[in-house]
Protein backbone atom coordinates (compact mmCIF):
# COMPACT_ATOMS: atom_id res chain seq x y z
CA UNK A 1 0.00 0.00 0.00
CA UNK A 2 2.86 2.36 0.84
CA UNK A 3 4.44 1.61 -2.52
CA UNK A 4 1.15 2.35 -4.26
CA UNK A 5 0.75 5.70 -2.49
CA UNK A 6 4.33 6.71 -3.29
CA UNK A 7 3.84 5.84 -6.95
CA UNK A 8 0.61 7.83 -7.09
CA UNK A 9 2.50 10.80 -5.66
CA UNK A 10 5.23 10.40 -8.29
CA UNK A 11 2.59 10.26 -11.00
CA UNK A 12 0.92 13.44 -9.75
CA UNK A 13 4.21 15.34 -9.57
CA UNK A 14 5.13 14.10 -13.05
CA UNK A 15 2.39 16.33 -14.48
CA UNK A 16 4.22 19.38 -13.13
CA UNK A 17 7.46 17.98 -14.53
CA UNK A 18 5.72 17.43 -17.87
CA UNK A 19 4.77 21.10 -18.11
CA UNK A 20 8.36 22.14 -17.37
CA UNK A 21 9.59 19.55 -19.87
CA UNK A 22 7.33 20.94 -22.60
CA UNK A 23 8.53 24.49 -21.96
CA UNK A 24 12.21 23.63 -21.73
CA UNK A 25 12.23 21.52 -24.89
CA UNK A 26 9.92 23.76 -26.92
CA UNK A 27 7.36 21.03 -27.51
CA UNK A 28 4.35 23.33 -27.60
CA UNK A 29 4.04 23.14 -31.42
CA UNK A 30 3.58 19.36 -31.10
CA UNK A 31 1.14 19.74 -28.22
CA UNK A 32 -0.90 22.40 -30.03
CA UNK A 33 -0.86 20.33 -33.22
CA UNK A 34 -2.16 17.35 -31.26
CA UNK A 35 -4.82 19.60 -29.71
CA UNK A 36 -6.09 20.60 -33.17
CA UNK A 37 -6.23 16.94 -34.17
CA UNK A 38 -8.13 16.19 -30.98
CA UNK A 39 -10.47 19.13 -31.55
CA UNK A 40 -11.27 17.93 -35.06
CA UNK A 41 -12.02 14.42 -33.77
CA UNK A 42 -14.13 15.80 -30.92
CA UNK A 43 -16.20 18.01 -33.23
CA UNK A 44 -16.57 15.42 -36.00
CA UNK A 45 -17.72 12.63 -33.71
CA UNK A 46 -19.88 15.09 -31.76
CA UNK A 47 -21.66 16.30 -34.91
CA UNK A 48 -22.34 12.73 -36.02
CA UNK A 49 -23.72 11.90 -32.58
CA UNK A 50 -25.85 15.06 -32.55
CA UNK A 51 -27.35 14.31 -35.97
CA UNK A 52 -28.47 10.88 -34.87
CA UNK A 53 -29.89 12.21 -31.61
CA UNK A 54 -33.00 13.47 -33.39
CA UNK A 55 -33.73 10.01 -34.76
CA UNK A 56 -33.31 8.54 -31.29
CA UNK A 57 -35.70 11.10 -29.79
CA UNK A 58 -38.33 10.34 -32.45
CA UNK A 59 -37.89 6.61 -31.84
CA UNK A 60 -38.32 7.00 -28.07
CA UNK A 61 -41.28 9.31 -28.51
CA UNK A 62 -43.03 6.72 -30.68
CA UNK A 63 -43.19 4.43 -27.64
CA UNK A 64 -44.87 7.03 -25.48
CA UNK A 65 -48.64 6.72 -25.25
CA UNK A 66 -49.83 9.82 -23.48
CA UNK A 67 -53.36 9.87 -22.04
CA UNK A 68 -55.94 11.85 -24.04
CA UNK A 69 -56.07 14.45 -21.28
CA UNK A 70 -52.38 15.15 -21.85
CA UNK A 71 -52.71 16.11 -25.52
CA UNK A 72 -52.26 19.78 -24.77
CA UNK A 73 -48.98 18.89 -23.06
CA UNK A 74 -47.67 16.82 -25.97
CA UNK A 75 -45.43 19.57 -27.33
CA UNK A 76 -44.02 20.38 -23.91
CA UNK A 77 -43.33 16.71 -23.16
CA UNK A 78 -41.56 16.30 -26.48
CA UNK A 79 -39.39 19.37 -25.83
CA UNK A 80 -38.55 18.16 -22.32
CA UNK A 81 -37.71 14.70 -23.66
CA UNK A 82 -35.55 16.22 -26.37
CA UNK A 83 -33.59 18.34 -23.88
CA UNK A 84 -33.15 15.43 -21.48
CA UNK A 85 -31.97 13.02 -24.18
CA UNK A 86 -29.52 15.53 -25.65
CA UNK A 87 -28.02 16.32 -22.24
CA UNK A 88 -27.80 12.63 -21.38
CA UNK A 89 -26.17 11.75 -24.70
CA UNK A 90 -23.73 14.63 -24.33
CA UNK A 91 -22.63 13.32 -20.94
CA UNK A 92 -22.33 9.81 -22.36
CA UNK A 93 -20.39 11.20 -25.30
CA UNK A 94 -17.93 12.98 -23.00
CA UNK A 95 -17.29 9.67 -21.27
CA UNK A 96 -17.03 7.70 -24.50
CA UNK A 97 -14.68 10.27 -26.01
CA UNK A 98 -12.01 9.15 -23.58
CA UNK A 99 -12.19 5.73 -25.21
CA UNK A 100 -12.24 7.26 -28.66
CA UNK A 101 -8.95 8.92 -27.72
CA UNK A 102 -7.43 5.51 -27.06
CA UNK A 103 -8.26 4.49 -30.63
CA UNK A 104 -7.99 7.40 -33.06
CA UNK A 105 -5.45 9.39 -31.03
CA UNK A 106 -3.02 6.45 -30.86
CA UNK A 107 -0.65 7.60 -33.64
CA UNK A 108 -0.44 11.13 -32.24
CA UNK A 109 0.21 9.94 -28.69
CA UNK A 110 2.78 7.45 -29.99
CA UNK A 111 4.62 10.25 -31.79
CA UNK A 112 4.61 12.54 -28.74
CA UNK A 113 5.73 9.69 -26.48
CA UNK A 114 8.59 8.79 -28.82
CA UNK A 115 9.62 12.43 -29.11
CA UNK A 116 9.63 12.66 -25.32
CA UNK A 117 11.78 9.55 -24.90
CA UNK A 118 14.20 10.75 -27.58
CA UNK A 119 14.74 13.97 -25.63
CA UNK A 120 14.98 12.22 -22.26
CA UNK A 121 17.56 9.74 -23.57
CA UNK A 122 19.25 12.17 -25.97
CA UNK A 123 18.47 9.90 -28.90
CA UNK A 124 17.15 10.63 -32.36
CA UNK A 125 15.18 7.74 -33.75
CA UNK A 126 13.74 8.23 -37.20
CA UNK A 127 9.99 7.82 -37.27
CA UNK A 128 9.28 5.27 -40.00
CA UNK A 129 5.95 4.46 -41.59
CA UNK A 130 5.91 0.82 -40.51
CA UNK A 131 6.64 1.94 -36.94
CA UNK A 132 3.67 4.30 -37.07
CA UNK A 133 1.39 1.55 -38.37
CA UNK A 134 2.69 -0.82 -35.69
CA UNK A 135 2.08 1.77 -32.98
CA UNK A 136 -1.46 2.37 -34.21
CA UNK A 137 -2.25 -1.35 -34.21
CA UNK A 138 -0.64 -1.84 -30.81
CA UNK A 139 -2.44 1.18 -29.35
CA UNK A 140 -5.77 -0.16 -30.54
CA UNK A 141 -4.97 -3.66 -29.31
CA UNK A 142 -4.03 -2.38 -25.86
CA UNK A 143 -7.16 -0.23 -25.85
CA UNK A 144 -9.31 -3.27 -26.61
CA UNK A 145 -7.69 -5.25 -23.79
CA UNK A 146 -8.05 -2.45 -21.25
CA UNK A 147 -11.58 -1.54 -22.29
CA UNK A 148 -12.58 -5.21 -22.06
CA UNK A 149 -11.20 -5.41 -18.54
CA UNK A 150 -13.04 -2.24 -17.65
CA UNK A 151 -16.32 -3.55 -19.08
CA UNK A 152 -15.98 -6.57 -16.79
CA UNK A 153 -15.46 -4.17 -13.89
CA UNK A 154 -18.55 -2.22 -14.95
CA UNK A 155 -20.67 -5.36 -15.04
CA UNK A 156 -19.53 -6.35 -11.57
CA UNK A 157 -20.38 -2.89 -10.28
CA UNK A 158 -23.81 -3.03 -11.93
CA UNK A 159 -24.50 -6.34 -10.19
CA UNK A 160 -23.40 -4.84 -6.89
CA UNK A 161 -25.55 -1.78 -7.53
CA UNK A 162 -28.58 -3.99 -8.16
CA UNK A 163 -27.86 -6.01 -5.03
CA UNK A 164 -27.12 -3.01 -2.80
CA UNK A 165 -28.72 0.05 -4.46
CA UNK A 166 -28.18 2.28 -1.42
CA UNK A 167 -24.44 2.19 -2.11
CA UNK A 168 -24.86 3.36 -5.72
CA UNK A 169 -23.05 6.71 -5.15
CA UNK A 170 -20.00 4.84 -3.90
CA UNK A 171 -20.05 2.63 -6.99
CA UNK A 172 -19.92 5.75 -9.17
CA UNK A 173 -16.79 6.89 -7.34
CA UNK A 174 -15.29 3.42 -7.59
CA UNK A 175 -16.02 3.37 -11.32
CA UNK A 176 -14.16 6.67 -11.72
CA UNK A 177 -11.16 5.23 -9.89
CA UNK A 178 -11.14 2.01 -11.93
CA UNK A 179 -11.46 4.04 -15.12
CA UNK A 180 -8.50 6.14 -14.04
CA UNK A 181 -6.26 3.09 -13.73
CA UNK A 182 -7.04 1.83 -17.22
CA UNK A 183 -6.48 5.23 -18.83
CA UNK A 184 -3.14 5.55 -17.08
CA UNK A 185 -2.22 2.03 -18.15
CA UNK A 186 -2.79 2.92 -21.80
CA UNK A 187 -0.52 5.97 -21.44
CA UNK A 188 2.21 3.90 -19.79
CA UNK A 189 2.17 1.40 -22.64
CA UNK A 190 3.46 4.02 -25.09
CA UNK A 191 6.60 4.29 -22.97
CA UNK A 192 6.93 0.51 -22.74
CA UNK A 193 6.56 0.15 -26.48
CA UNK A 194 9.47 2.55 -26.98
CA UNK A 195 11.69 0.19 -25.01
CA UNK A 196 10.60 -2.79 -27.08
CA UNK A 197 8.44 -4.51 -24.49
CA UNK A 198 5.81 -6.90 -25.80
CA UNK A 199 2.18 -6.34 -24.91
CA UNK A 200 2.40 -9.07 -22.28
CA UNK A 201 5.60 -7.65 -20.77
CA UNK A 202 4.12 -4.17 -20.82
CA UNK A 203 0.99 -5.25 -18.96
CA UNK A 204 3.10 -7.09 -16.37
CA UNK A 205 5.11 -3.92 -15.72
CA UNK A 206 1.96 -1.82 -15.57
CA UNK A 207 0.21 -4.07 -13.05
CA UNK A 208 3.43 -4.24 -11.05
CA UNK A 209 3.35 -0.44 -10.77
CA UNK A 210 -0.36 0.20 -10.46
CA UNK A 211 0.20 3.46 -8.59
CA UNK A 212 1.87 5.08 -11.61
CA UNK A 213 -0.99 4.04 -13.88
CA UNK A 214 -3.68 5.09 -11.43
CA UNK A 215 -2.13 8.47 -10.65
CA UNK A 216 -1.65 9.28 -14.31
CA UNK A 217 -5.18 8.27 -15.28
CA UNK A 218 -6.72 10.02 -12.28
CA UNK A 219 -5.16 13.32 -13.30
CA UNK A 220 -6.21 12.75 -16.91
CA UNK A 221 -9.78 12.05 -15.82
CA UNK A 222 -9.82 15.31 -13.86
CA UNK A 223 -8.27 17.25 -16.74
CA UNK A 224 -10.91 16.03 -19.18
CA UNK A 225 -13.57 17.49 -16.89
CA UNK A 226 -12.14 20.96 -17.61
CA UNK A 227 -14.20 22.41 -20.48
CA UNK A 228 -12.40 22.52 -23.85
CA UNK A 229 -8.82 22.77 -22.55
CA UNK A 230 -8.97 19.44 -20.76
CA UNK A 231 -10.09 17.55 -23.84
CA UNK A 232 -7.58 19.31 -26.09
CA UNK A 233 -4.43 19.15 -23.98
CA UNK A 234 -5.11 16.45 -21.38
CA UNK A 235 -4.11 13.35 -23.42
CA UNK A 236 -0.82 14.84 -24.65
CA UNK A 237 0.12 16.01 -21.17
CA UNK A 238 -0.82 12.60 -19.78
CA UNK A 239 1.40 10.64 -22.17
CA UNK A 240 4.41 12.87 -21.42
CA UNK A 241 3.72 12.62 -17.70
CA UNK A 242 3.47 8.83 -17.98
CA UNK A 243 6.83 8.73 -19.76
CA UNK A 244 8.52 10.80 -17.07
CA UNK A 245 6.98 8.95 -14.11
CA UNK A 246 7.56 5.52 -15.65
CA UNK A 247 11.20 6.27 -16.45
CA UNK A 248 11.74 7.25 -12.83
CA UNK A 249 10.06 4.15 -11.44
CA UNK A 250 10.04 1.17 -13.79
CA UNK A 251 13.08 -1.03 -13.73
Amino acid sequence: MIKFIKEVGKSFSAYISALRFINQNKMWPYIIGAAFFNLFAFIFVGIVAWLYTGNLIDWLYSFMNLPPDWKEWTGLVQIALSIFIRILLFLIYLNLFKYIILFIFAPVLAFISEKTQNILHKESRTLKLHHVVRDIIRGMFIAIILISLQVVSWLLLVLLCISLPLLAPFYAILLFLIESFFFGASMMDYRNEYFGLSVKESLIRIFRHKGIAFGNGFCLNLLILIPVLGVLFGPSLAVISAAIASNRTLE
Side-chain angles (χ1 to χ4, degrees):
M1 188 64 181
I2 295 176
K3 175 188 173 184
F4 178 82
I5 294 173
K6 286 182 178 179
E7 288 183 348
V8 170
K10 287 181 181 179
S11 213
F12 285 173
S13 64
Y15 272 82
I16 305 299
S17 300
L19 287 173
R20 287 199 298 265
F21 179 85
I22 292 170
N23 284 324
Q24 290 171 359
N25 296 282
K26 300 178 180 178
M27 287 188 65
W28 281 113
Y30 301 103
I31 305 302
I32 293 173
F36 275 110
F37 181 92
N38 208 1
L39 178 63
F40 173 78
F42 185 79
I43 293 174
F44 176 77
V45 179
I47 289 174
V48 172
W50 186 267
L51 291 176
Y52 280 96
T53 301
N55 295 333
L56 177 61
I57 292 170
D58 292 338
W59 180 75
L60 290 173
Y61 190 71
S62 67
F63 286 93
M64 295 180 64
N65 294 316
L66 297 177
D69 298 340
W70 284 42
K71 281 190 176 180
E72 59 186 84
W73 299 98
T74 299
L76 183 61
V77 170
Q78 193 166 11
I79 292 172
L81 178 64
S82 174
I83 293 173
F84 173 75
I85 293 296
R86 289 188 187 278
I87 292 175
L88 179 62
L89 287 181
F90 178 73
L91 294 175
I92 293 173
Y93 170 62
L94 279 180
N95 190 54
L96 288 178
F97 187 73
K98 291 180 282 189
Y99 299 101
I100 294 172
I101 287 173
L102 297 182
F103 282 90
I104 63 176
F105 212 45
V108 178
L109 292 177
F111 174 80
I112 292 175
S113 179
E114 182 148 344
K115 181 73 176 175
T116 300
Q117 294 295 346
N118 283 342
I119 294 172
L120 289 173
H121 294 89
K122 296 180 173 58
E123 296 179 354
S124 182
R125 296 186 186 180
T126 304
L127 197 63
K128 298 179 180 179
L129 180 60
H130 71 276
H131 286 165
V132 174
V133 174
R134 183 191 63 192
D135 290 344
I136 294 172
I137 295 173
R138 179 184 172 115
M140 291 181 174
F141 182 63
I142 284 289
I144 290 171
I145 292 175
L146 296 175
I147 290 172
S148 298
L149 290 173
Q150 187 166 335
V151 167
V152 173
S153 302
W154 280 355
L155 293 175
L156 291 175
L157 286 177
V158 168
L159 291 175
L160 286 173
C161 193
I162 293 173
S163 304
L164 299 169
L166 292 178
L167 298 179
F170 296 100
Y171 298 144
I173 295 172
L174 185 58
L175 178 61
F176 183 87
L177 299 179
I178 292 173
E179 195 176 66
S180 296
F181 169 76
F182 287 118
F183 286 140
S186 67
M187 296 300 161
M188 286 179 68
D189 181 67
Y190 288 105
R191 178 265 181 196
N192 293 341
E193 192 280 332
Y194 179 87
F195 288 101
L197 298 181
S198 66
V199 172
K200 180 180 178 180
E201 291 171 333
S202 177
L203 290 175
I204 290 173
R205 295 284 183 90
I206 289 169
F207 278 90
R208 191 180 295 163
H209 298 279
K210 292 182 284 291
I212 298 295
F214 173 77
N216 182 274
F218 185 82
C219 289
L220 175 58
N221 248 339
L222 292 179
L223 283 173
I224 289 179
L225 294 177
I226 300 174
V228 184
L229 292 179
V231 172
L232 295 184
F233 297 101
S236 300
L237 187 60
V239 79
I240 294 174
S241 171
I244 293 172
S246 298
N247 284 0
R248 291 173 178 173
T249 308
L250 272 64
E251 62 276 2

